[in-house]
Amino acid sequence: MDSQKIVIAFPFTGGELGGSHISAAGLICGLDRDKFRPIIILHKNGLILEEYLKKLGLPFTLAPNVSILSADSELGFAASVANGVRLVRTTAKLVPFLRRHRVDIVHTNDGRMHATWALAARMSGAKLLWHHRGDPMARGVNIMAPLLANHIVTVSHFVRPAKPIVPVTHKITVLHSPFDHPSDLPDRDACRRKFVEELGLRPDTRFVGYVGGLIERKRPVKFVEAVHAFLQHHPDFPLAGLLFGTNAANGPDLDGAVKSRAKELGISDRIHLMGFRTPIAPCMGALDALLVTAVNEPFGRTLIEAMLLKTPVVATNHGGNPEAIDDGQTGYLVKPECPEAFVGPLERLLFDGRQWETISSTALENARARYGNKAHVEGISRLYETLVPRQSPAMHGQLVSRH
């Protein structure tokens, strides 16, 4: 019976497509439709997320025309008052929307959706599942979530709220993000040749890569400096660095910063901005190593995606990275903010084929064992059923017959 299904709302802005959206879409695709009815809500249509959802065959509905709020802005008094007014007006529109769609749970997945939908969820009578993938010091997860969320899910132990305003240990769960396991591994030599030809490089060029949005936390400029550090030791080695990603909407021009730093270091011909590419497998397949230069990374999707595609990872020993990498076994962990620290692991991977094979094969086996959609979907589904218990159809029939 449709009335027995738990209705879950998934609100998104619509203008961005990142790891949180991919993870949420994977969850939505995997939910048991006999138990759950997901409703995807977009504030803006005709943008990148709508295109992605259509490829997956996932329908969506448009949100009411409301202000999209921010949970972590540092506001002055006047701006705080204005933000409070927007919150009241936004909530007043979202509450009847949620009631009209008979939403049982609002599952928010990023800071702006937390801020925009949290109060409305609770006032509508729905439960709020706050999925946190960001800074453990963020104001939202330390103030709003402890007060409003019925349950908090974090993608790693690192991003658990660091200073919650009230205790949250009774309502917090750590669940790593879900990952599809590729059925086939890419032809690495073919992938490498494709980019060699596209960029007009010498045939024996080897690639290291940066994959992700060009945002400050991910330190794309440090990636450039890591490539430079390696070339300082091996100036004649045919190494090129590929950056797959674009600037964040309304964010700083890190694309320009990458170009500028490469020019300063005299390696403009070794650094290539590739833009956003999908699917990612051919890109990962071209890389001899993925370099994760980020700090405060909650639990980067690209790190696990690389492992599942048998691409070795060298990552900073910071944020959620140590939860995914066993140093020297499934990848390498290096000192953060230190480009020179990447040189040693890169030498081992680029100059020792047996070491490359050992690290990449061990990482692949480990990632297949630890990260999958099934475990994530089952874990979230259990939380949904705990938040909104439903009687079995047989029991429901008995209750109806008694009245």
Side-chain angles (χ1 to χ4, degrees), residues 37 44 117 231 299-300 382:
R37 183 164 67 87
K44 302 173 184 176
W117 289 81
L231 292 172
F299 196 80
R382 284 193 296 270

Side-chain angles (χ1 to χ4, degrees), residues 162-342:
K163 296 181 178 180
I165 193 169
V166 295
V168 295
T169 52
H170 64 290
K171 62 174 185 178
I172 192 165
T173 299
V174 176
L175 277 176
H176 293 313
S177 296
F179 296 87
D180 288 321
H181 292 186
S183 54
D184 297 300
L185 295 177
D187 180 332
R188 305 192 70 85
D189 194 49
C191 292
R192 188 185 63 81
R193 285 199 310 270
K194 176 182 178 298
F195 286 111
V196 165
E197 293 169 3
E198 178 181 333
L199 298 169
L201 302 175
R202 50 188 277 187
D204 59 346
T205 299
R206 308 280 290 277
F207 294 116
V208 292
Y210 169 108
V211 179
L214 301 182
I215 61 175
E216 185 58 38
R217 189 189 75 233
K218 293 183 182 291
R219 300 293 197 266
V221 172
K222 291 296 179 186
F223 171 81
V224 176
E225 294 173 355
V227 174
H228 175 258
F230 179 87
L231 292 172
Q232 287 289 96
H233 290 266
H234 308 282
D236 297 325
F237 189 85
L239 183 72
L242 307 181
L243 293 95
F244 296 98
T246 57
N247 286 328
N250 303 316
D253 180 21
L254 292 181
D255 184 299
V258 163
K259 294 176 183 175
S260 176
R261 188 60 175 145
K263 184 177 180 180
E264 289 172 3
L265 296 172
I267 60 168
S268 293
D269 60 331
R270 303 288 194 115
I271 298 296
H272 304 274
L273 286 152
M274 309 301 291
F276 176 78
R277 303 275 180 124
T278 186
I280 198 62
C283 305
M284 286 289 191
L287 305 179
D288 285 281
L290 175 74
L291 308 188
V292 180
T293 48
V295 295
N296 294 319
E297 187 74 351
F299 196 80
R301 286 193 61 84
T302 55
L303 188 155
I304 305 301
E305 286 172 340
M307 292 179 171
L308 288 168
L309 291 165
K310 207 179 176 184
T311 296
V313 179
V314 185
T316 53
N317 190 12
H318 202 271
N321 295 338
E323 295 181 39
I325 293 178
D326 183 2
D327 187 31
Q329 300 298 315
T330 61
Y332 295 102
L333 294 170
V334 300
K335 182 180 178 181
E337 309 282 25
C338 182
E340 181 71 23
F342 286 84

